[in-house]
Amino acid sequence: MQRDQMNIVIVGHVDHGKSTVIGRLLADTGSLPEGKLEQVKATCAKNAKPFEYAFLLDALKDEQAQGITIDAARCFFKTSKRDYIILDAPGHIEFLKNMVTGAARAETALLVIDASEGIQENSRRHGHMVSLLGIRQVVVLVNKMDIVKYSEKVFREIEEEYRDFLAELNVSPVNFIPVSAREGDNIVHLSKKMPWYQGYSIKQQLDQLKKQEDLPDQALRFPVQDVYKFTEGADERRIIAGTIETGSINTGDEVVFLPSRKESTIKTIEEFNVPAKKTAYAKEAIGFTLTTQIYIRSGELMVKKTEKIPNVSTRFKANIFWMGKSPMIKNKRYKIKLAAARTTVKLVDILNCLDASDLSSVANKQVIEKHDVCECILETTRPVAFDLADELENTSRFAIVDNYEISGGGIVLNNLSTEESMFEKNIREREFSWEKSAISLKERADSYKHRSKFVLLTGPPDTGKQKIARALERRLFENNYKVYYLGKVTMEHGLDSDISSYPDSNDEYIRRLGELARIMTDAGQIFITTISDADDFDIRKLKLLNEPNEILVVNTGSNIFNNFKVDLDLDEHIDVQKAVLSIEKLLKEKEIILEYYL
Amino acid sequence: MDHLQKLEAHSVFLLREAYREFNNLCMLWSIGKDSTVLLWLARKAFFDHVPIPLVHIDTHYKIPEMIEYRDRLALKWKLNMIYGQNSEALKNKRTFPDGNVDRITCCRNLKSEALKHTLSGEWSRYKLNHETQKYEVDSNKDPYTGVIVGVRADEEGSRSKERYFSPRDKENEWGVGDQPPEFWNQYKTDFAPGTHVRIHPLLDWTELNIWEYIEREKIPTVSLYFDQGNGQRYRSLGCYPCTTPVVSDAKNEADIIKELRTGRFSNIAERSGREQDKEDGGGLETLRREGYM
Ligand SMILES: Nc1nc2c(ncn2[C@@H]2O[C@H](COP(=O)(O)OP(=O)(O)O)[C@@H](O)[C@H]2O)c(=O)[nH]1
């Protein structure tokens, strides 16, 4: 028989009484080891030091050093109803990272405000963070009521002011409780000193709260964490592995993978040492096989075809909190991790920053500083699938990595896919300011006796692309065309030698290749190169980058494109001369090279 | 989902995340109950495969049954089994049982040092050849940059401040004060060259959870954990000169679970049978900062 557990986090401004509240909860619910309270009191008396409930935490810490299994970083107390785990959340501003770590795992937050000092900077900041992190149950404790003589007026004033503040954040607190942690009022039992308060004590309130269960009627969201094919032992299964974020799924369900939009049907649900089953639910770490062989990468989001489809976009509005050592700045590349997806993101614009201390918005901010919470526009280099925070919050959440460190987190508020992306804008501006040569493309084509073209060979690795590309260069050259083949290694050790420092080096590689193609085709060349494992999105990007010039895509081996139609499909390891001739034929059909020039 | 299923699902998620993000990953297997549960969770995560090498540090003072058990499972579950050791210290008898050093130094020599240099690839690694069933010197000398470890937060204080993905610098040092934030199942998986990471999928498990899970999944464990008729059993397994059994008549998993639930041990540290923990008060914290598990 297992007992119910609830994770709670205690936040608030420094010295407002968090540790004292924790000490009280431990002591008054009888959750301390036997004799601990007396022992700490005795030590205080011996040292002529007034006893503090907060000392109980320190005392427990000392015990941990001796190996006893109580833990102040995660301390426990019990009521008859359930076990509570208090996650460590020191209130000092420098400890925001720890607070976020604790709060993100909590179902309930107790927010402590000192009645005599009133609402302070971190009372607000923590309230804001708690709402961003998605804790739905917030109980506000107005502490140190003894100092204000248990005045209802003081309590109501704080309650009103803080309620208004939370309302702006769309948080409706479960309750406001007047307490004195030091005196033990309204901690476990209702205190006679505040007859005007008829609500719950802290303990009663906690026991009233509901465990947050996952709603079975939410849409399925299954981030593809990885795709496994372990060939040893003749295991033929190709397993799509991950943890179901929300919803449920059955064998036989039709599914769509995003952003690639590939479709298939669930064949089996895979697990180890568990009887076979037909349905899997939220939070299960599980695997699936599909009825069809489709090429899926980790990072995609699997959803049900019959349910609401999430957004797929490269541009969105988000709310971000920043913890990084250096501020978040515009146009710098960061890594974004959203569910299982990872890609590069840039800060495009800061719409407004809430100054956490008074929730006033600061206009015209140019950077997001440590501890700021800002509404802003972000743009990724590849499309990502996401939900909006007010629709399905789990899959609206992301983390941002700056220089190896998790530096920020946020939630997506809106999809801005209809706006022109920074990428498109850059290309438009590039074309606008392109210094046009005095020699027109037409003049070049007439002189070279062919038009320019970007010829790209794609397909899985090791399909013979490179050999074909090199032979094609030779063949066209011998027929007097202006042609150039560029090998990937050449780029790697030259132009791209810095590329590993980019958060998503493949995207930057594509961008550079596209820009190079634009230059080479502008120079009238037939520019040939190869790229492995390109997907629809890579090709779309290369096409855009090469505009207004043309691209020809030849696939070798199995075709992994979803919608994109290649110009020519060749078998894996096809005879090189045969491949060259068919590409040449295609170039003629497309009138890149013309018979009569020959 | 019940509590154990939730713990299992989260650990599986962490193992898959580690496997996805790190190229040079290994998992430490001490043969004890925790790291054996971890190994079992890897079979869960990877659908009956264990695509991660298992590294065992052989102090040569392990109870013989443990080594026999290690090799039996390694063969049966087709594990990529590797062990490392401090050959120098063993040869020169710089050990506590030889009477030449104290317990802490012995641990440092046979475990911390052996581990550090085995992980870095500087010292020989011995790999199980499944055909000959013998260990051979492993030709792979690449340092492991991700190390999966079965520590639990409830074991002792210093472990409760750990993260699931916990960075270590070049010197294996652990910065307790400056831990990366972890939220929404996003972890620090990006590392500067030269640094590495410890991954702790069992952080949220308790000793009781471990036994409940072993019972539920029927995971084979070393018989030393059970009373063999003399009213004693081991609660934690280490080297025989430094590990003492506890008084207990628990003969199987169910008995141990009952014993733990009644709180019989609630004020006795799990590792109290490990003598090295007692020397220099916070001995473990010191060892830990130096890279001990
Ligand atoms: N008068 C009074 N003092 C309190 C009360 N709760 C806490 N304090 C005092 O406020 C100070 C800070 O409390 P502490 O719990 O350490 O605050 P924290 O920084 O939020 O953890 C300590 O000196 C406590 O004794 C209370 O209810 N009444």
Side-chain angles (χ1 to χ4, degrees), chain A residues 216-230:
Chain A
D217 55 356
Q218 283 179 320
L220 172 81
R221 295 293 184 257
F222 179 77
V224 177
Q225 199 176 2
D226 222 329
V227 180
Y228 301 132
K229 179 107 171 43
F230 299 111

Side-chain angles (χ1 to χ4, degrees), chain A residues 120-155:
Chain A
Q120 297 294 314
E121 178 177 346
N122 273 335
S123 320
R124 291 197 168 90
R125 192 190 301 279
H126 290 176
H128 204 168
M129 295 299 301
V130 156
S131 102
L132 253 181
L133 288 165
I135 305 180
R136 288 286 156 269
Q137 308 189 114
V138 181
V139 178
V140 183
L141 309 179
V142 179
N143 186 33
K144 307 198 190 179
M145 287 301 292
D146 54 305
I147 300 184
V148 298
K149 310 218 163 50
Y150 300 102
S151 153
E152 178 174 9
K153 184 163 167 289
V154 172
F155 172 73

Side-chain angles (χ1 to χ4, degrees), chain A residues 97-98 235 337 342 404, chain B residues 17 49 163 178 187 189:
Chain A
K97 286 196 290 186
N98 288 341
D235 190 342
K337 299 167 97 176
R342 283 108 179 79
Y404 309 118
Chain B
E17 199 69 358
H49 299 269
R163 293 287 199 254
D178 189 27
Y187 304 97
T189 49

Side-chain angles (χ1 to χ4, degrees), chain A residues 30 110 160 166 215-216 285 310 323 411 426 432 543 561 580 583:
Chain A
L110 298 182
E160 194 182 331
L166 289 179
L215 309 166
M323 300 167 284
I411 54 177
N426 288 345
F432 182 75
K543 239 180 148 147
F561 292 107
V580 167
I583 298 173

